[in-house]
Amino acid sequence: MSETASKSLAAPAREPDAGRWKALVFIALAQLMVVLDATIVNIALPSAQQDLGISDGNRQWVVTAYALAFGGLLLFGGRIADLWGRKRAFVLGLGGFAAASALGGAATNEAMMFGARALQGVFGALLAPAALSLLAVMFTDAKERAKAFGIYGAIAGGGGAVGLILGGFLTEYLDWRWTFFVNIPFAIVAAAGAYFVIREPEGGRNRSPLDIPGVILSTLGLVALVYGFTRAESSGWSDSLTVGMFVASAVLLLSFVLVESKVKAPLLPLRVVTERNRGGIYLSLGLAIIAMFGLFLFLTYYLQIVKGYSPVKTGFAFLPMIAGMITGSTQIGARLMTRVAPRLLMGPGFLVAALGMLLLTQLEIGSSYAALLLPAMLLLGLGMGTAFMPAMSLATQGVEPRDAGVASAMVNTSQQVGGAIGTALLNTIAASATTAYVADHIAGATSRSQQQLVQLEAMVQGYTSAIWFAVGILVVAAAIALTFVNAGRPGTGTVTGSDSGQDVADEVQIPVVAH
């Protein structure tokens, strides 16, 4: 165990904040808002695209602009929360998120929409790490901490289902713009409650100087990476600017690693990601999210455009996946987490999800929801839920207290950047396959109805081509989890798992990880 962790073991326990459970309500409300926003926008996307005249090639930027800004700035946001104070960052993040949501709801063109989504991502990157670290420093008792994080996690899973249904109702019975405006009352209530209820413990700030070069290099590197994937769709993989973006991304991210190894107070201490278990988790989670994010986009369009589902019906159609995720997380992952090694849940979990994805490669225009989509989504949800539960736990365990916050941020970063890359990469593959199918078959379609049929068949062909790639990505994620994650079954040692240097009180039995 490290010297820092050993010292923290001897630190005196703080008196818990009397208003911590009230504070949890407002922190959880903010988390619900962020989760709602992610799923609501997916349901509203086809309507918004048509209303604002967004091209098929650009439509993924509604998702990508948010995911890229959020993922690219999470480490910076977590560091700012440590520097300014978590409560202040939390309230500011809520206010900015509400303002950006108002801008998105009032959008009159695609540029305004993309800008609003990017701003939501910026303030989300400040809000998310502040919320998690507030929970960490306010709940210091082991049992209370587990319960608080359990409630927080349940809202994250259940909120997705609420968002899908609420998004459908708002889009169908009001207008897609209300899927943005609905964030405003959530943010106001959460910010007001946080301002009056949350009492942040003294002495929890990190006063180290801000690593400005690290912030700039990491953000620009991630932007270049995702822009390269996105540009490949419209201009091709051999386009000079596309290639230039990938080269620039590699140079910037390698420079970031070099800077982080030299500076005194790095934005991302390399010891956090080079430890075998955490490195394997970040990589496998990022790959799994690449597969999942692209799928959400394709299924939304398949159900609404090919199958003719209404937005509300589309929302309900996604419920088996959400139910599977909650079941896999709470009934399989949580129950087995203390009995088997994490890799024996993560590897099989990703493989079960890959099996569900494999079923979806059989999609056709006339595919039955009950016979194909329902079992596929259940398997996807069960697999992902089972894998994510131990991954989230292990990713933030065994770290030195001073690194716990950045370790948590890295989990979110791998997810958000994976989502941005997944949407861009799989959309590119789908669009290329669709174009090729139309070129090969449109000549034989003489009537308008035949041409429309070819267009629909081409769309489905594009989706299934991309889903095959997603299957392969999930199999690779399973292989990485089984190979890299070698931590033993919980109960083999005790380490600190707190986000605060003074908190050790997790006292969860977990493997000791050498630093």
Side-chain angles (χ1 to χ4, degrees), residues 242-323:
T242 302
V243 174
M245 283 293 112
F246 287 129
V247 172
S249 172
V251 171
L252 287 163
L253 293 177
L254 285 172
S255 301
F256 171 68
V257 172
L258 185 63
V259 166
E260 298 307 275
S261 68
K262 302 292 186 185
V263 297
K264 187 176 180 181
L267 180 70
L268 174 61
L270 296 182
R271 61 183 172 270
V272 172
V273 293
T274 53
E275 196 279 315
R276 176 173 179 158
N277 287 285
R278 284 194 293 277
I281 284 169
Y282 297 147
L283 190 55
S284 60
L285 275 183
L287 286 170
I289 295 294
I290 286 176
M292 286 294 290
F293 260 63
L295 180 73
F296 282 140
L297 189 65
F298 298 145
L299 280 184
T300 300
Y301 275 86
Y302 174 79
L303 290 170
Q304 291 194 38
I305 296 174
V306 178
K307 300 295 283 185
Y309 281 23
S310 68
V312 172
K313 192 175 180 181
T314 301
F316 278 105
F318 273 102
L319 281 182
M321 187 186 295
I322 303 298

Side-chain angles (χ1 to χ4, degrees), residues 51-370:
D51 201 13
L52 298 178
I54 301 173
S55 68
D56 284 348
N58 284 338
R59 72 186 177 201
Q60 84 265 19
W61 276 104
V62 177
V63 177
T64 301
Y66 174 84
L68 181 59
F70 190 54
L73 293 171
L74 262 168
L75 293 173
F76 182 45
R79 182 68 184 83
I80 288 293
D82 286 339
L83 192 64
W84 287 355
R86 298 171 180 93
K87 175 179 173 178
R88 184 182 300 173
F90 182 71
V91 174
L92 181 62
L94 282 166
F97 200 92
S101 297
L103 188 65
T108 55
N109 54 51
E110 64 177 32
M112 193 171 169
M113 169 61 75
F114 300 156
R117 289 291 285 161
L119 269 178
Q120 281 185 314
V122 169
F123 286 104
L126 184 61
L127 173 62
L132 277 172
S133 55
L134 276 172
L135 279 187
V137 298
M138 293 180 79
F139 290 90
T140 55
D141 175 77
K143 291 182 180 178
E144 286 193 350
R145 187 179 171 90
K147 186 176 180 182
F149 274 86
I151 293 169
Y152 190 83
I155 286 172
V162 177
L164 290 168
I165 297 169
L166 182 60
F169 275 103
L170 291 173
T171 303
E172 188 165 341
Y173 296 115
L174 291 173
D175 186 74
W176 65 264
R177 297 180 185 278
W178 282 98
T179 61
F180 286 88
F181 293 145
V182 75
N183 291 329
I184 299 172
F186 277 100
I188 291 172
V189 172
Y195 183 81
F196 290 109
V197 172
I198 290 178
R199 298 287 179 267
E200 188 177 349
E202 294 294 329
R205 296 190 188 183
N206 183 343
R207 302 292 187 178
S208 301
L210 192 61
D211 175 21
I212 298 296
V215 171
I216 293 170
L217 288 170
S218 64
T219 304
L220 291 179
L222 293 169
V223 167
L225 180 65
V226 177
Y227 184 68
F229 278 112
T230 304
R231 184 173 173 83
E233 178 182 2
S234 57
S235 305
W237 293 95
S238 59
D239 173 69
S240 58
L241 185 55
T242 302
V243 174
M245 283 293 112
F246 287 129
V247 172
S249 172
V251 171
L252 287 163
L253 293 177
L254 285 172
S255 301
F256 171 68
V257 172
L258 185 63
V259 166
E260 298 307 275
S261 68
K262 302 292 186 185
V263 297
K264 187 176 180 181
L267 180 70
L268 174 61
L270 296 182
R271 61 183 172 270
V272 172
V273 293
T274 53
E275 196 279 315
R276 176 173 179 158
N277 287 285
R278 284 194 293 277
I281 284 169
Y282 297 147
L283 190 55
S284 60
L285 275 183
L287 286 170
I289 295 294
I290 286 176
M292 286 294 290
F293 260 63
L295 180 73
F296 282 140
L297 189 65
F298 298 145
L299 280 184
T300 300
Y301 275 86
Y302 174 79
L303 290 170
Q304 291 194 38
I305 296 174
V306 178
K307 300 295 283 185
Y309 281 23
S310 68
V312 172
K313 192 175 180 181
T314 301
F316 278 105
F318 273 102
L319 281 182
M321 187 186 295
I322 303 298
M325 283 183 180
I326 295 173
T327 303
S329 177
T330 61
Q331 301 304 311
I332 301 175
R335 289 175 183 269
L336 295 180
M337 200 167 66
T338 56
R339 301 177 186 178
V340 299
R343 68 180 182 275
L344 299 181
L345 288 173
M346 291 178 63
F350 288 138
L351 289 175
V352 169
L355 181 61
M357 198 79 81
L358 187 64
L359 288 178
L360 291 174
T361 61
Q362 306 306 307
L363 271 183
E364 296 175 353
I365 290 178
S367 292
S368 162
Y369 176 83

